[in-house]
Amino acid sequence: KSARICSLVLAPRPRCTRKLAGRTAGPVGPEVFWRIISDGRGGYYTGTGHGGEIHHTSSDDKSRLVARLDGTEVFSLLMLEGGDLLAGCGPEGQLYRVGRDGEGTLAGSGEGGSVWALASDPRAAKIWLAAGSPAAVYSYDPTSGVLERAAERPAQTALDLPFDDQGNLLVCTQGPGLVYSVDPRRPDRPRLLF
């Protein structure tokens, strides 16, 4: 077997520019964009600012205010079949259902804390919410409108909850930073991953 000699070539320092490479689009003026999701037609919905606002930007870069909710911040958005939106808000943990007409209806509230993430269960007609404080996972049935606490974890906040390849929720927490695996059929038995 032969030995190989490798050399490291250092590239010159990359240049920084003051301008963004791209086009200006979307709503003008929000101090913060909390969440952005695709509308499935080349445009986007955004949860913005500190006034519970949801904007839509179409594929031709035209923006409009869709809804102004009572929740201060719109931290999470999810599009339901049929075009309604779910909006998870904070700091009171409100969940709103927003129709195509922009009317926001309170679907429920968690016990203390913001709704940081929403995930649609690929195997069932159920929506999962990551909330806190304390860190909790809620389930929401969009057909019946029932919102209930499914699991609580010894952490300050549940921040994210994607699904893994086996259909389990991965619940990411802060304070301390832990990741749990939760079987949606048995959410009361989370398993610590790392």
Side-chain angles (χ1 to χ4, degrees), residues 15-188:
R15 296 181 193 177
C16 295
T17 63
R18 291 180 184 245
K19 293 185 177 184
L20 294 174
R23 66 186 196 279
T24 303
V28 176
E31 178 185 350
V32 61
F33 284 83
W34 293 110
R35 186 69 61 183
I36 183 169
I37 63 169
S38 171
D39 69 358
R41 302 179 311 271
Y44 301 93
Y45 286 100
T46 52
T48 63
H50 301 294
E53 293 183 349
I54 300 173
H55 291 88
H56 180 258
T57 302
S58 64
S59 59
D60 59 355
D61 297 335
K62 291 189 175 31
S63 291
R64 65 181 174 85
L65 178 66
V66 172
R68 185 172 280 123
L69 307 173
D70 288 336
T72 307
E73 278 84 23
V74 178
F75 289 127
S76 53
L77 289 169
L78 181 77
M79 184 176 287
L80 299 173
E81 286 186 31
D84 284 1
L85 289 172
L86 284 181
C89 297
E92 302 301 321
Q94 307 99 320
L95 178 68
Y96 287 93
R97 187 169 185 151
V98 180
R100 289 179 175 227
D101 59 358
E103 186 68 31
T105 304
L106 183 64
S109 291
E111 298 171 13
S114 300
V115 178
W116 294 103
L118 298 166
S120 181
D121 194 329
R123 297 182 299 191
K126 194 175 272 193
I127 308 299
W128 296 92
L129 292 73
S133 174
V137 175
Y138 290 84
S139 67
Y140 173 69
D141 183 332
T143 305
S144 67
V146 174
L147 176 68
E148 59 188 1
R149 184 183 292 246
E152 189 171 312
R153 293 292 69 211
Q156 184 178 356
T157 306
L159 292 172
D160 200 9
L161 41 79
F163 280 91
D164 68 12
D165 294 339
Q166 290 77 43
N168 294 318
L169 285 164
L170 300 178
V171 181
C172 303
T173 69
Q174 175 263 329
L178 303 170
V179 177
Y180 294 91
S181 177
V182 176
D183 182 339
R185 296 166 298 207
R186 294 301 313 258
D188 58 327

